[in-house]
Amino acid sequence: MTEKRKPTVAFFDFACCEGCQIEFTNYGDEATLELLKHVEVVEFREAMTETTTERIDIALVEGSFTRKADRRRLQDIRRRARIVVAYGACAATGGINALKNHQDDYHEAVYGEHGRDAHLESGPALPISAVIKVDYEAKGCPMSKYELLDIISCLLHGAEPTVPSYPVCVECKRRETICRYDEGDHCMGMVARAGCGAPCPADGIPCEACRGFVDEPNLRSLERVLMERAGFSQKRAVGKARMFTANLRG
């Protein structure tokens, strides 16, 4: 009897810290071994040396597009992959890398006197969807490993993954987390896209909207709340709202 072929999964990285790949390795033995019963991992630089040039069922791409030289590699991944998932904020929106899109002297700020060396040349940080068609996104910095696992599970079962369009405040209320503003703090949960389970506010850390914004966020209201309730200056309020969402607003 011929054994049924497992779907192949490959991980790829571009401009990023590779923290989302590390997060994937944090599932633990039980979850990882269970996943490996259903898929065959054929490339994963953080965990194995093997690579592939063959067709792939699911390509998980981390990191933003910021170098012209990466265009061909992304297009090759798209050509070989049946499904492409942008996972992590950098791949989905450009993430924190996109802050450089609003700063002219980022070369010198990061690399000092060597900032203009040819091998450090790069352009604006963009989501990979600026180059190739993306089928699904697992948002966040890092992405929620449980959300990514759910996306993979849905794809293996022929179901359509869903991403919440409501704000993080909803998840805080569900788990009865005290609002950061009631603690004299700030937060962007009112316009941040949920789906993470709101772990940061539950640990006393303001939501920074690393998963991006909900559909049609009221950014003017966000800035007003940051100024009136958190005491931010207008400049700081605008800058705070841009940290993980620089490509999602002006």
Side-chain angles (χ1 to χ4, degrees), residues 41-112:
V41 179
V42 293
E43 182 165 342
F44 188 3
R45 192 164 68 92
E46 293 290 344
M48 58 193 286
T49 57
E50 294 84 352
T51 60
T52 181
T53 57
E54 302 295 323
R55 293 279 298 173
I56 307 160
D57 289 303
I58 302 174
L60 301 170
V61 182
E62 180 187 8
S64 53
F65 169 70
T66 188
R67 299 187 307 169
K68 292 180 181 178
D70 289 334
R71 178 180 295 275
R72 183 173 296 181
R73 182 171 168 238
L74 273 168
Q75 291 172 334
D76 179 66
I77 292 169
R78 177 69 271 186
R79 179 181 59 79
R80 292 191 290 125
R82 186 169 61 86
I83 296 171
V84 171
V85 179
Y87 79 111
C90 295
T93 67
I96 201 167
N97 293 339
L99 283 174
K100 76 175 193 177
N101 301 349
H102 299 267
Q103 188 172 347
D104 294 330
D105 62 345
Y106 65 86
H107 289 94
E108 290 76 13
V110 176
Y111 300 111

Side-chain angles (χ1 to χ4, degrees), residues 2 5 14 19 22 24 48 54 68 78 86 96 106 116 124 126 140-141 159 172 178 185 187 191 195 230 246:
T2 303
R5 184 183 73 87
F14 289 82
I22 296 297
F24 191 88
M48 58 193 286
E54 302 295 323
K68 292 180 181 178
R78 177 69 271 186
I96 201 167
Y106 65 86
R116 298 293 173 177
L126 301 172
C141 181
C172 276
I178 297 174
D185 204 347
C187 193
V191 293

Side-chain angles (χ1 to χ4, degrees), residues 168-196:
V168 168
C169 286
V170 173
E171 294 182 332
C172 276
K173 293 183 184 305
R174 284 175 177 167
R175 58 189 299 169
E176 300 183 351
T177 297
I178 297 174
C179 179
R180 296 310 309 156
Y181 286 98
D182 290 338
E183 297 281 1
D185 204 347
H186 72 278
C187 193
M188 301 205 298
M190 69 287 273
V191 293
R193 187 179 294 274
C196 56

